Amino acid sequence: MAHRIPSNPNEMTSKKLKLDKFCNGSGGPAFDAAVFTTYPPGPDGIPKPTNSVFTCNELLSSAADHEKYIQDEMAWKANNDPVWFAANYRGSDGHRWSEKTEENGVTLPILARDNENNWISTSEIPSAPGAKMSAAKSYGPDSVADGKRRGMLDKIADYRKKSVDLTNAERKYKRHKTEANGKSRDKALNHYRKELGVKPNNSKIPERLGESAARYHVIPEAFPGAKWIPLPSTPTGSDRFDQLFELKGGELLVVEAKAPSSDLERRQGKGPYKNKMVQQCTKEYARTIIEAMRERAEKSPQDGKLADQLEAALNQGKLRYVVVKAKDGGSSYGGATLRECSM
């Protein structure tokens, strides 16, 4: 069955008419093809009907091409327009501020880093198996080993609270520039500057809470005697694990440390997984980071040495991998959770 649509030449595209939605009805397509009838002037100047036929396959293909074009455009803006990126994504991990935001009728893509440290849509390449983790074990703030560490963690939690408050106030003011929102933003800025001065308000402040919760509270509590192993830094802060420890029995322990609002990240893999998206807390992600460390070995011999040790431990079943996530306790440290990854 063909569906005939008299049309203005300026409304000929299936993108504007969105006819592809009729090709996916619950009882099958509403029609097999759409016939567009236009009336361009003939040689004598008199309009004459002209038919253009589009099948459902063509309409669906056109809609998919349109969506990919818009998503590619948004990925380009994520890498080249910092103002647009900050308005739509969290800087550290590409998390969307809202899952409902659209541009030109297309939802913002989920982003991840590729091997050149650029943002790409996670739909660009297939994903390796996702993380499998144990049930979360909670560690309350009262179990922190000593008062000095507890005071430090409280201070870091307070810094995060002021950072988050300022970020939220600024975003609210950008959306609705009212006098009340402006006053709220200024108040949050004054509170932030009182504690953190001119330090840039970025993702490193919340991240520090997760890292400190892991190093100074959860890992010493869950793995007594664990020995901290410093990891070489990288120019962008990526291509590395958050923390590494040696356990009493000789096992190595990899830690991903998370702020309260952070989740496991995905990125493009390396080595045998270069054509896959890999997720933290998986064997595929661990091998990707080990490969990245090995690539830096010439300039950073310590990276190469640690890469060899990590790969040997992984191959021998002596590599453990955990995620520590700080809880939101407001201006005070709220404790954290520990989950172990299935390797």
Side-chain angles (χ1 to χ4, degrees):
M1 176 182 71
H3 189 63
R4 184 176 295 276
I5 303 173
S7 178
N8 181 302
N10 293 325
E11 297 176 344
M12 280 284 289
T13 66
S14 64
K15 295 175 188 176
K16 288 186 177 180
L17 295 175
K18 297 186 177 180
L19 295 175
D20 55 282
K21 65 184 178 183
F22 295 109
C23 295
N24 284 319
S26 58
F31 53 80
D32 301 311
V35 180
F36 291 83
T37 303
T38 57
Y39 298 86
D44 55 4
I46 300 174
K48 295 184 178 179
T50 301
N51 293 332
S52 299
V53 181
F54 294 89
T55 66
C56 262
N57 283 339
E58 290 171 323
L59 292 171
L60 290 170
S61 176
S62 174
D65 289 346
H66 171 66
E67 181 172 348
K68 186 178 187 310
Y69 174 82
I70 298 300
Q71 286 204 335
D72 287 348
E73 186 179 65
M74 289 190 281
W76 183 90
K77 286 196 284 188
N79 289 294
N80 295 280
D81 187 341
V83 175
W84 181 90
F85 181 76
N88 292 289
Y89 291 91
R90 186 167 61 202
S92 59
D93 56 8
H95 174 84
R96 296 172 293 184
W97 292 121
S98 172
E99 297 177 359
K100 298 180 180 179
T101 302
E102 293 185 352
E103 283 198 4
N104 297 314
V106 178
T107 304
L108 289 177
I110 300 172
L111 298 180
R113 295 286 190 182
D114 67 8
N115 286 327
E116 303 300 322
N117 205 41
N118 295 316
W119 292 113
I120 59 172
S121 169
T122 56
S123 63
E124 285 293 301
I125 52 179
S127 294
K132 295 180 180 179
M133 298 183 288
S134 65
K137 183 175 181 180
S138 184
Y139 293 81
D142 292 339
S143 65
V144 177
D146 60 68
K148 185 177 180 180
R149 284 190 175 183
R150 172 65 185 273
M152 176 193 67
L153 290 167
D154 281 339
K155 195 68 174 177
I156 294 171
D158 184 50
Y159 288 165
R160 173 193 172 268
K161 175 74 163 52
K162 288 179 169 56
S163 170
V164 171
D165 286 349
L166 178 56
T167 298
N168 290 338
E170 287 176 335
R171 289 180 59 225
K172 187 174 181 179
Y173 180 71
K174 284 180 181 178
R175 288 197 304 268
H176 306 289
K177 293 187 177 181
T178 65
E179 182 179 353
N181 288 344
K183 288 181 179 179
S184 296
R185 179 204 57 185
D186 294 343
K187 183 179 179 180
L189 179 59
N190 288 335
H191 287 165
Y192 177 90
R193 286 181 172 170
K194 184 178 179 180
E195 294 295 333
L196 291 112
V198 296
K199 183 181 179 68
N201 183 25
N202 55 36
S203 60
K204 293 185 183 299
I205 298 172
E207 287 170 2
R208 186 183 172 198
L209 178 59
E211 292 164 358
S212 299
R215 182 175 179 182
Y216 299 113
H217 178 204
V218 174
I219 299 306
E221 181 83 7
F223 302 95
K227 180 182 177 183
W228 163 267
I229 300 176
L231 289 169
S233 60
T234 63
T236 62
S238 59
D239 282 344
R240 66 191 295 274
F241 297 115
D242 285 339
Q243 297 174 2
L244 180 64
F245 294 83
E246 183 179 357
L247 302 182
K248 275 185 174 181
E251 295 174 306
L252 293 180
L253 176 71
V254 167
V255 179
E256 300 293 358
K258 298 294 178 184
S261 59
S262 295
D263 298 311
L264 294 178
E265 298 173 18
R266 289 184 180 271
R267 56 159 292 162
Q268 186 178 1
K270 285 181 176 286
Y273 306 107
K274 65 180 180 180
N275 294 320
K276 298 277 189 181
M277 297 300 298
V278 296
Q279 187 179 33
Q280 288 177 323
C281 201
T282 63
K283 179 171 61 178
E284 293 83 359
Y285 186 91
R287 290 197 183 278
T288 290
I289 299 302
I290 291 169
E291 181 66 22
M293 295 171 72
R294 187 164 282 121
E295 290 174 357
R296 298 192 296 270
E298 186 174 345
K299 293 183 178 180
S300 173
Q302 181 66 3
D303 267 313
K305 178 182 177 181
L306 289 173
D308 290 341
Q309 293 175 3
L310 285 161
E311 185 169 35
L314 181 57
N315 292 338
Q316 295 167 17
K318 294 183 177 181
L319 181 68
R320 298 179 70 176
Y321 198 169
V322 299
V323 178
V324 174
K325 186 170 184 174
K327 294 182 180 180
D328 188 350
S331 295
S332 300
Y333 178 59
T337 59
L338 172 73
R339 302 184 72 181
E340 184 153 4
C341 314
S342 175
M343 298 294 285

